[in-house]
Amino acid sequence: MIRICADVDILAARNALRALALDIGAPPRTVLELSIVVSELAWNVLKHGGGGHMVLESIDDLERGIGLRIVAFDEGPPIRDLVSALRDGFDDCGPIDPSTLLRRGGLGGGLGAVARFTDALSYVQHDGHKRIEAVRYLRRPSSRPRPDARKAS
Ligand SMILES: Nc1ncnc2c1ncn2[C@@H]1O[C@H](COP(=O)(O)OP(=O)(O)O)[C@@H](O)[C@H]1O
Ligand SMILES: [Mg+2]
């Protein structure tokens, strides 16, 4: 468990993620993407949740194989509208007023990045406790072979 109470804790969470990801043999791009996921969730715990903690663990799913589970917990106000919050440039109420962007400290793209870089995302809010879980498999279910450029005429 990693406590998230100050900026420096975000670095600790990133370092822990990196160690775990390298341990399961994640390629550099995956490590980078998951570092972004951890950073964004940790910033949100700090900024919107007033502090909390994170749990990072490797998983081995019977069907989907090896992956990483990243869970963020806090006890701040709930996310009012998750669908809105997931959209780039939106907060949990709707579009972010561009005139507030400079002082609000965030572009409203964090959760969108978390969703893009992971394969499953869930949010549970109960009794003032929030839990946001993101899972990424090394073998991404949506991955498709890239088009072979050599075949182009
Ligand atoms: N831990 C959290 N607690 C409460 N609200 C949150 C939390 N994380 C995200 N949100 C809500 O979701 C919105 C979108 O989050 P995000 O995409 O990271 O953008 P940003 O942090 O720049 O506002 C936030 O503006 C906030 O309204
Ligand atoms: Mg954010």
Side-chain angles (χ1 to χ4, degrees), residues 79-93:
I79 300 179
R80 285 165 286 191
D81 178 350
L82 183 64
V83 174
S84 173
L86 282 164
R87 289 184 67 175
D88 291 341
F90 282 56
D91 64 16
D92 64 348
C93 286

Side-chain angles (χ1 to χ4, degrees), residues 39-41 43-45 47-48 104-111:
S39 288
E40 293 298 339
L41 289 177
W43 271 119
N44 285 350
V45 163
K47 193 167 61 170
H48 304 296
R104 78 182 294 282
L107 302 174
L111 282 183

